[in-house]
Every structure is written in structure tokens, then in C-alpha cells.
Amino acid sequence: MIMGDSTTKWQRTVALCATVGLGGTFVALTPSIASAHDETATTTQVSEQDVLQSLQNLESRDNRLVIEPVPADVELATEVNLPRDSSQSVVLGSSGDEDLTFDLPLGDEGQEAKVQADGTVIYPGEDSAQVIIPTYTGVQVLTNIANSDAPSEYSYEIGLSSTQRLEVIDAGAAIVNADGTTETVISAPWAKDAAGRSVPTHYEIAGNTLTQVVDHTSAGSVAYPVVADPVWIPAAVYRCLVGIGLNGPTITRMMEKGTFSAILAAGGYAAVRCVMGR
């Protein structure tokens, strides 16, 4: 659902639609090529349609990268609350459990949410835009980088308790409790340009802020737009998956695919019950 203030919530009631959103028909995307020192790049307002076109282009080159949204009529263990505009926090929670909250990069622009028919939510922006896709294992957050003037750093401020800390683990990141146990994980990031080439990216941590650095301005010739991602998994789901004997790498691979079939293949019906809260 989309979350506004503390008293107003929108229920996500749209169904997966093959003719709208990522599976729709759009004008073909023509990548723009820019070098790290391209002085001709200008400020670009990244629209909803721009983002949809870039995602469709990415899927045409590698359909494993963008996770298919979970259908709206599927009940999961985790409630996903997405903000009405990008200045507010994303909240992943479940009944009786502490929520995982994080702020979106460049949230001070306060861009209004654009909800697609398949449940994907887009926050347009200046030179870059954010996309959130609700999945079976949490949410995939994508950054659409329009040109070489766009930032190279995208920071997520995470709501941690006083006894928790962030750590970089196996190229991904984790929220770690005071006793050293892992509370939840964020997948290793990736970034691809419009030609399907990998763009160097990594995480940096400062206090409760996780920053994805996308080196699109120092990677030589880059075809814009660049799309970058982390995937977030709710704490309750992660703990349940660990409790049935799955290890961190298995859980990470599962969440990166984000589909029902991936969950079933990796952990059987026990993993499905973790995700479904049964």
C-alpha cells in the first residue's frame, strides 16, 4: 500500500496486467552516450514514461534483473507501506514485529508517487528517479540515472535501534544486532547502462546510512539511462528463513530473484510459509 501521513493509507488494489507497466508497449528507447567528462549534458526531468521505457529496455537485454511485482491479491507476511511522495519513509513490517524503515535517496525533492497497474511505484525526479517494486521477498528499489549530471551517490537512511549497526557483508549489507546476529540483509547492488553493460557500484556505510555509489561518471563511455538496484528483505522473513535452515547466500539469491518459483526452489514449502506468514 501507499502510505501518506499517520492517518491515511492507500490500499494497493491493482492487479498484475500484462499490457501495462513493465510489460506494456512503449516507444523504443534510444540510449544516449556520454563520457565521464561530457560537458554537453543538461539537467533532465526524469518522467514516469522515461522510467518505464528504461526498465523495458533493461528487461529486453536481461529479464533476470527487474523482479516481477507480486500480484496485489496475494497476502504476504510483510505489509509494504510505500510513501505518497519521495520525502517520506518506506516501511516494511509485519504483525507483532518491529518495522524496517528507510528513506529514499534524494527524498528532499518530494516527488509524488506514480502507481502502475502492476503495483510498481515510480517517483520521478531531476536527473534521476526512484522505482519500488513489491516482491514476494520484500521490495526491489531501482534508481534510474538519466545522464552524467546525475549524482553518483544514493543514500538510504535506515531506522536502526540503539543496539544495531550496519555492516557490509559479501558485497551486500546487513543490519546486525548487538550480540552479532544478523537482523536482516540488503542484497549486493548492481548497475547496468542502457546497452546492458555493467557499471561499477558498491555500498558505503556511515552510521545508519547506507550509500550506493554508482561510478557512472568515471566508467568511460556510458549509455544512459543507467539503472541501479538493491533488494530489501523484511526482518521477520529473514529470521524465518534462517530458522528453517537456509543460509545467508541462499537467502540472498532467493531475494534477488524475488519470485514464488525461486522461493519454492530454494527452500521448499517451508520457505513459502515464511514469506506468506503461515
Side-chain angles (χ1 to χ4, degrees):
M1 63 180 66
I2 305 292
M3 182 175 65
D5 55 34
S6 60
T7 60
T8 305
K9 294 181 179 179
W10 297 349
Q11 180 65 45
R12 185 169 67 92
T13 57
V14 293
L16 186 63
C17 179
T19 60
V20 181
L22 302 186
T25 302
F26 302 105
V27 177
L29 178 68
T30 302
S32 60
I33 307 297
S35 71
H37 303 289
D38 185 1
E39 297 180 356
T40 66
T42 58
T43 299
T44 302
Q45 186 64 31
V46 185
S47 70
E48 177 182 8
Q49 187 71 6
D50 292 334
V51 172
L52 291 171
Q53 290 178 356
S54 71
L55 294 183
Q56 187 187 45
N57 176 68
L58 182 64
E59 283 199 306
S60 72
R61 297 179 184 279
D62 189 340
N63 61 12
R64 299 168 299 176
L65 295 176
V66 179
I67 301 174
E68 183 177 290
V70 61
D73 59 354
V74 174
E75 292 187 9
L76 301 177
T78 301
E79 184 178 83
V80 178
N81 289 320
L82 303 181
R84 288 178 180 270
D85 68 65
S86 58
S87 67
Q88 300 171 315
S89 299
V90 176
V91 181
L92 306 179
S94 58
S95 178
D97 194 46
E98 188 171 339
D99 293 337
L100 169 63
T101 66
F102 59 89
D103 294 339
L104 292 171
L106 310 178
D108 54 354
E109 293 184 14
Q111 296 291 333
E112 181 182 353
K114 306 295 183 182
V115 184
Q116 308 304 300
D118 65 355
T120 299
V121 180
I122 297 171
Y123 300 90
E126 188 174 286
D127 291 327
S128 61
Q130 301 293 136
V131 182
I132 302 180
I133 302 175
T135 76
Y136 281 97
T137 57
V139 293
Q140 182 178 32
V141 182
L142 300 168
T143 300
N144 190 96
I145 301 170
N147 56 44
S148 60
D149 284 347
S152 295
E153 297 185 358
Y154 296 87
S155 296
Y156 301 86
E157 186 173 336
I158 303 173
L160 302 180
S161 74
S162 59
T163 60
Q164 293 177 329
R165 66 184 185 275
L166 277 173
E167 291 185 0
V168 173
I169 299 177
D170 298 326
I175 298 175
V176 180
N177 297 315
D179 61 2
T181 59
T182 300
E183 179 74 3
T184 193
V185 293
I186 301 100
S187 71
W190 55 257
K192 297 283 187 178
D193 77 357
R197 297 180 295 240
S198 294
V199 177
T201 184
H202 65 277
Y203 289 142
E204 294 181 354
I205 288 173
N208 67 334
T209 300
L210 177 70
T211 299
Q212 182 178 7
V213 179
V214 184
D215 294 322
H216 63 97
T217 60
S218 58
S221 294
V222 171
Y224 290 92
V226 172
V227 178
D229 125 299
V231 177
W232 301 70
I233 185 170
V237 173
Y238 180 81
R239 289 198 300 269
C240 183
L241 294 172
V242 170
I244 64 172
L246 299 184
N247 59 27
T250 299
I251 295 171
T252 299
R253 288 194 298 271
M254 180 193 305
M255 63 190 280
E256 287 173 344
K257 294 181 179 178
T259 62
F260 182 89
S261 59
I263 296 165
L264 187 62
Y269 285 103
V272 172
R273 286 194 289 270
C274 284
V275 173
M276 300 297 185
R278 300 170 185 169

